Amino acid sequence: MLQHAIQEAVKAALLEDLGGPECTVGDITANLIPEPQQIMVNIITREDCVIAGKEWVNATFRQLDDSIDISWHVEDAQHVKADTILCQISGNARVILTGERTALNFLQTLSGTATVVADYVQALGDSNTKLLDTRKTLPGMRLAQKYAVTCGGGKNHRIGLFDAYLIKENHILACGSIANAIGKAREMHPDIPVEVEVENLEELKQALDAKADIIMLDNFSIQDTREAVALTQGASKLEVSGNITKERIAELAQVGVDYISSGALTKHVQAIDLSLRVVG
């Protein structure tokens, strides 16, 4: 899925930049350069970061011209310092400058995601709590950002609506009760883990009685989270979600929950400052 997503995302991004499949003029600014001219460039980070997105850069230039040579000096998931040369690219000048922005857009966005995830993971310290992402990803970038989360040391929650249950308030209301919703899920797909979101301790007890695999504590206070851990006693996995900040993570992890999930990891992403510079 990921390799297909990379190719399709890059294809769409290049078409967006080049006026769509019906446009024939190409990059009118790059076409000012003599067609045979060759250049060598470096991609440099201007700030400390965690790298993610090499294959999106590779795919960008390969789709434009598979003779472009890319030599990477770093790996995905690697922590690098500001002013590090990430890779060197050589080949046709028109092609490299045409692909520049598309390649950088992917690399800066995915590295931004990986960097904030790594920052949050560090706040977990030596606890056994795992950091999860959510479906709150940039449109069209779901698998890309999910990949970047893993580069930062986080774990993927469900990829989409097809691979895991997450029974929320509206599902419960439509099904009639937590027990009804979980029962129907077991009946339809007995091999898929069932997670249910609860908003208070009474709903937690209902989810426990219905034997949910994972219970999400939505916007629970620290005190209620501690009580939830005591009530659950390992019968179900516990996930904490809602208003998760870096400052709260360390405290929540010490309570003993299994997972902390945060939409901010992917929806509030700030791109890393990168630049592409001609060598010589």
Side-chain angles (χ1 to χ4, degrees):
M1 282 180 68
L2 181 60
Q3 290 303 318
H4 177 74
I6 292 170
Q7 297 303 322
E8 290 301 306
V10 167
K11 179 180 178 181
L14 288 171
L15 285 174
E16 182 178 58
D17 227 7
L18 293 169
E22 305 304 319
C23 185
T24 59
V25 297
D27 180 348
I28 61 174
T29 309
N31 288 344
L32 300 173
I33 303 168
E35 194 283 327
Q37 186 166 328
Q38 305 286 298
I39 58 171
M40 180 179 293
V41 302
N42 290 331
I43 295 180
I44 304 164
T45 177
R46 298 306 184 187
E47 56 185 308
D48 295 357
C49 66
V50 176
I51 298 301
K54 286 175 53 179
E55 285 305 312
W56 284 261
V57 175
N58 292 341
T60 296
F61 292 108
R62 285 173 184 154
Q63 286 192 21
L64 290 169
D65 180 352
D66 61 11
S67 71
I68 297 295
D69 182 70
I70 306 174
S71 177
W72 285 95
H73 305 316
V74 298
E75 298 295 335
D76 279 353
Q78 183 176 334
H79 293 245
V80 299
K81 294 293 186 181
D83 298 321
T84 297
I85 296 175
L86 306 180
C87 69
Q88 190 166 84
I89 305 169
S90 58
N92 184 272
R94 288 186 180 183
V95 171
I96 290 173
L97 297 182
T98 294
E100 172 184 0
R101 178 42 52 199
T102 295
L104 291 182
N105 282 348
F106 281 114
L107 189 61
Q108 69 189 18
T109 301
L110 299 183
S111 295
T113 301
T115 300
V116 73
V117 170
D119 199 28
Y120 275 51
V121 167
Q122 186 175 33
L124 290 173
D126 59 358
S127 75
N128 292 322
T129 303
K130 295 179 174 59
L131 182 68
L132 303 178
D133 54 23
T134 72
R135 287 171 49 244
K136 297 176 182 177
T137 52
L138 300 177
M141 292 284 285
R142 172 67 55 77
L143 291 181
Q145 285 195 288
K146 291 278 187 179
Y147 169 79
V149 165
T150 66
C151 289
K155 304 294 183 183
N156 294 150
H157 204 279
R158 55 182 180 161
I159 299 300
L161 298 173
F162 63 93
D163 61 326
Y165 282 111
L166 180 47
I167 300 169
K168 296 191 172 189
E169 177 186 12
N170 289 332
H171 301 106
I172 294 167
L173 289 171
C175 290
S177 69
I178 288 174
N180 285 347
I182 292 177
K184 186 65 173 178
R186 299 277 191 221
E187 178 185 328
M188 294 180 66
H189 295 286
D191 57 328
I192 296 179
V194 178
E195 179 170 4
V196 61
E197 178 184 84
V198 301
E199 297 183 346
N200 52 58
L201 293 171
E202 177 55 38
E203 290 185 350
L204 169 69
K205 294 173 185 176
Q206 294 175 35
L208 286 169
D209 288 342
K211 302 188 184 308
D213 297 297
I214 307 169
I215 302 173
M216 178 189 289
L217 311 177
D218 183 37
N219 285 299
F220 272 42
S221 67
I222 288 292
Q223 180 178 344
D224 282 350
T225 302
R226 289 195 181 97
E227 189 167 348
V229 171
L231 283 169
T232 302
Q233 296 184 351
S236 297
K237 298 288 188 181
L238 289 180
E239 175 184 337
V240 176
S241 187
N243 296 312
I244 300 301
T245 62
K246 182 184 172 185
E247 291 69 31
R248 291 188 64 210
I249 279 184
E251 185 177 21
L252 286 167
Q254 293 308 311
V255 173
V257 296
D258 299 284
Y259 309 109
I260 298 173
S261 59
S262 173
L265 302 177
T266 49
K267 71 173 183 173
H268 293 166
V269 62
Q270 180 174 329
I272 298 299
D273 184 10
L274 304 176
S275 64
L276 183 147
R277 290 289 180 264
V278 174
V279 178

